[in-house]
Amino acid sequence: MNSFKETEILPFSSGVSPDGVLQINGHSVDELIDKFGSPLYIYDEDTIRKMCVEFRENFCNHYENSHIEYSCKAFANPFVNKIIDEEGLFMDVVTGGELAVAINSNFPPNKLNFHGNNKGKDELTEALKYGVEYITIDSFAEINLLNSISEDLGKFQKVMLRLSPSIDPHTHLLTSTGILDSKFGFSIETGDAELAIKQTLDKSNLILDGVHFHLGSPIFELEPFSEAIEYVISFCSEMRDKYSFNLKRFSPGGGFAIGYKTEKKPPKISEYAKVISDSIKMSCDKYSLQYPELIVEPGRSIIGRSGVAIYTVGGIKKIKDVRTYVSVDGGMGDNIRPALYQSEYSVISAGKVNEERDNLVTIAGKFCESGDILAKDVYIPNPEVGDLIALPASGAYNLMMASNYNMQTKPAVVLIKSSSEPPYLISRRETYNDLLRLSIFE
Ligand SMILES: *Cc1c(COP(=O)(O)O)cnc(C)c1O
C-alpha cells in the first residue's frame, strides 16, 4: 500500500490503486461512485469490527467486569447493529426511532440501554414491552412516569440515573454535556442528584442499579474522566452512607475522540481504558466500595473512522487573491457538523492521491447557505470538474444529523464487507418520491 498522510484517519483497510485512486479494502472509490452514484458514504466492516475488539480488549485488560455499549445515535443501521451484536457489544438508544431500528434488527433487548433527557410515555412503554434491560433516567418527571408505566405493566424495571458532575471536558460548548449549565443529568452540585437517588430508591417498581454521566464529545484529554469519576464515586459513597445506595453499575459515558485532521491525534483507547479503570478502582478503594460493573459507551470512536464520504466536484470559483471555492454535490444536508460546531476535516482528492497537493482551496457544499462549507483552507491537487473528494472520519453523526434542506435527497450508503465480496448497499439513495411521500397534495 502506498503511504499517504491520512492512513491513520481513514479505515484500516484503505489503500491506493496503481493509478492513484483511493481504495477501501481493495474497492476503488471511482468504481463505487460509478455503481452507486454521488455523493456516497462508504463504510468499512473490518474497521467497525477492529474498533469493537479494541474497546473490548483494552477495557477488559484494565477492568475485568466491563462491558462496551455502542451508542447507536452515531450511526443507527441494521447491518451495523448486527455487527455490534456479533462482536458482543451492548447498545444504547436515545429515542423510540433508534429503538425501532434495534427491534427491527433483532437486537437482543437484554443488551439495550435507553438514554435521553425527555423520553415520552409512548417511548418508555415500547421500551418496557420490548424488555429493554436498562433505562437511564434523566429527570424527576421521568422517575414518576417510568414508575407508573412499570406498575401498569406489572414490571420491575432496572434503571440508572444520569448525573451531571459539573466537569468541563474542553470540547466545543455545544458538545459539552456534563457541565453545570446543561440540560442533561441530575446535578450533584445543586443537590438534585441526591434527591433523585432518594426518590428512585423509594419507587415501588424501579430497581436502581447505578449511575451514569457523559461529559461531552469528542474529548481529547484524559483528566476530565479521572476528575469526574473521583467526584461521582465519592458522591455515591455518601449516598451509600445516607440511603444504603448500592453502586452495582457505573458508566462514565462515551465521548472518546477520533482523528479528523491528521495533525490532531486522539489518545489511544488503551489510555482512556487505563485512566478510567484506575480512577474507578482508586476511588472505590478510598471509600471501601465494591468495584461496580463498568459500562463504557463509545459511539463516534466505534463507527467514525469506518466511514468515508465521497463527493463530486462541480463548480470551481477562483476569487483572485482571496479564495478558491470548490463546490461539491453534498454539504450541510449530509454533514452539518462543520456548520453546527466548526468541525474540521481532512480532504483527499480521491482520484489524485499521489499528486502533489499544491492548491489551497475551500470545499463548499451545494446548499443555499454561505455557512455550507465542508472544509476551509485545505490543500489538494489542481481541482477539476468531476474530481472525487473524500472526507475521512465521516462515519459518526453525519448521516444521523442529515436533513432534506433544499429538498435535497440523502446519499446512499454502502458497506465494504471484504476485498473479495461485492460492495453491499445498506441504505439506498433517497428519491424525490421519498421526499414527496409525506406531503398531502389535495
Ligand atoms: C452520545 C452519547 C454517547 C456517545 O458519545 P460519542 O461521542 O459518540 O462516543 C454515550 N453516552 C451518551 C449518554 C450519549 O448521549
Side-chain angles (χ1 to χ4, degrees):
M1 180 173 107
N2 298 34
S3 75
F4 50 110
K5 64 177 186 166
E6 283 84 10
T7 47
E8 284 184 29
I9 59 174
L10 279 163
F12 290 99
S13 64
S14 305
V16 187
S17 73
D19 51 347
V21 179
L22 177 66
Q23 294 184 320
I24 311 295
N25 208 350
H27 297 266
S28 295
V29 300
D30 54 351
E31 287 167 18
L32 293 170
I33 292 287
D34 282 347
K35 183 157 184 205
F36 297 101
S38 175
L40 182 67
Y41 275 71
I42 305 167
Y43 279 78
D44 175 49
E45 178 164 339
D46 278 359
T47 300
I48 305 173
R49 290 194 189 272
K50 276 207 176 78
M51 291 315 300
C52 291
V53 172
E54 175 95 343
F55 266 94
R56 241 177 31 218
E57 290 187 345
N58 275 297
F59 275 90
C60 278
N61 281 345
H62 285 96
Y63 198 100
E64 208 178 319
N65 188 12
S66 62
H67 284 103
I68 310 299
E69 209 166 76
Y70 169 60
S71 203
C72 81
K73 72 173 189 280
F75 186 56
N77 174 279
F79 282 83
V80 173
N81 288 0
K82 188 158 170 286
I83 295 170
I84 293 297
D85 185 24
E86 285 170 3
E87 290 298 332
L89 270 60
F90 296 177
M91 200 161 77
D92 280 354
V93 296
V94 294
T95 60
E98 287 182 3
L99 180 62
V101 179
I103 292 173
N104 284 285
S105 342
N106 293 317
F107 199 87
N110 63 353
K111 290 168 62 178
L112 282 176
N113 175 10
F114 195 178
H115 274 293
N117 70 305
N118 189 16
K119 309 172 199 71
K121 187 174 182 186
D122 291 350
E123 291 176 307
L124 288 171
T125 305
E126 282 157 28
L128 261 69
K129 286 190 171 157
Y130 191 54
V132 165
E133 188 76 359
Y134 277 97
I135 295 187
T136 303
I137 296 177
D138 198 343
S139 73
F140 289 109
E142 192 183 352
I143 298 175
N144 295 321
L145 178 60
L146 184 59
N147 190 60
S148 82
I149 296 171
S150 304
E151 271 180 347
D152 290 348
L153 296 175
K155 294 207 173 201
F156 294 91
Q157 180 61 44
K158 290 199 270 187
V159 301
M160 310 262 287
L161 290 181
R162 179 165 181 162
L163 307 185
S164 168
S166 308
I167 302 278
D168 186 349
H170 305 127
T171 183
H172 196 283
L173 184 62
L174 292 183
T175 54
S176 297
T177 55
I179 53 180
L180 177 61
D181 186 1
S182 166
K183 70 172 181 172
F184 294 107
F186 296 102
S187 167
I188 297 177
E189 193 178 326
T190 63
D192 276 0
E194 175 168 351
L195 198 57
I197 290 209
K198 192 166 166 304
Q199 287 188 8
T200 307
L201 287 171
D202 285 344
K203 290 293 181 222
S204 57
N205 290 53
L206 303 183
I207 304 163
L208 178 59
D209 272 355
V211 299
H212 155 88
F213 64 81
H214 175 68
L215 297 175
S217 185
I219 306 172
F220 280 84
E221 299 168 22
L222 299 171
E223 295 77 52
F225 283 103
S226 54
E227 247 183 273
I229 288 169
E230 283 165 36
Y231 181 50
V232 170
I233 291 199
S234 112
F235 166 75
C236 289
S237 84
E238 246 180 77
M239 296 302 100
R240 172 201 54 191
D241 298 342
K242 278 189 170 169
Y243 308 108
S244 305
F245 167 59
N246 178 16
L247 182 68
K248 276 173 60 184
R249 222 168 182 261
F250 178 78
S251 171
F256 312 108
I258 62 169
Y260 283 100
K261 300 287 282 182
T262 47
E263 310 85 48
K264 193 173 179 195
K265 287 199 187 3
K268 295 195 183 75
I269 308 303
S270 59
E271 294 177 271
Y272 288 117
K274 183 167 171 23
V275 76
I276 287 172
S277 307
D278 288 354
S279 310
I280 297 174
K281 289 179 186 169
M282 203 191 70
S283 302
C284 286
D285 289 347
K286 183 168 168 191
Y287 300 105
S288 310
L289 284 166
Q290 279 197 335
Y291 295 166
E293 179 185 2
L294 166 63
I295 306 294
V296 187
E297 302 177 342
R300 184 193 313 278
S301 44
I302 291 282
I303 200 75
R305 182 171 172 178
S306 72
V308 183
I310 310 286
Y311 304 96
T312 303
V313 171
I316 298 166
K317 176 178 177 181
K318 294 186 177 169
I319 310 170
K320 197 170 181 302
D321 299 328
V322 177
R323 187 181 297 286
T324 297
Y325 285 97
V326 173
S327 287
V328 297
D329 52 359
M332 68 188 291
D334 60 274
N335 184 2
I336 200 170
R337 298 184 65 257
L340 188 60
Y341 22 71
Q342 294 80 52
S343 307
E344 294 185 301
Y345 285 88
S346 300
V347 171
I348 302 168
S349 189
K352 302 176 173 177
V353 179
N354 295 332
E355 290 180 28
E356 197 171 343
R357 304 180 188 192
D358 47 8
N359 283 256
L360 180 65
V361 304
T362 285
I363 308 292
K366 67 170 289 181
F367 295 82
C368 296
E369 290 283 324
S370 292
D372 178 27
I373 299 293
L374 285 172
K376 205 172 165 190
D377 297 336
V378 290
Y379 283 95
I380 60 171
N382 182 38
E384 294 166 288
V385 176
D387 280 355
L388 298 180
I389 294 292
L391 262 64
S394 289
Y397 297 106
N398 301 28
L399 289 175
M400 294 293 102
M401 294 179 136
S403 78
N404 291 118
Y405 179 49
N406 294 160
M407 292 310 266
Q408 172 71 25
T409 53
K410 291 178 194 160
V413 185
V414 291
L415 182 70
I416 304 297
K417 287 170 163 291
S418 70
S419 55
S420 55
E421 287 167 274
Y424 210 91
L425 187 69
I426 60 170
S427 184
R428 68 162 172 78
R429 184 175 309 283
E430 274 184 338
T431 63
Y432 294 143
N433 274 336
D434 290 325
L435 300 180
L436 296 172
R437 74 183 184 257
L438 301 178
S439 302
I440 294 161
F441 286 90
E442 35 187 302

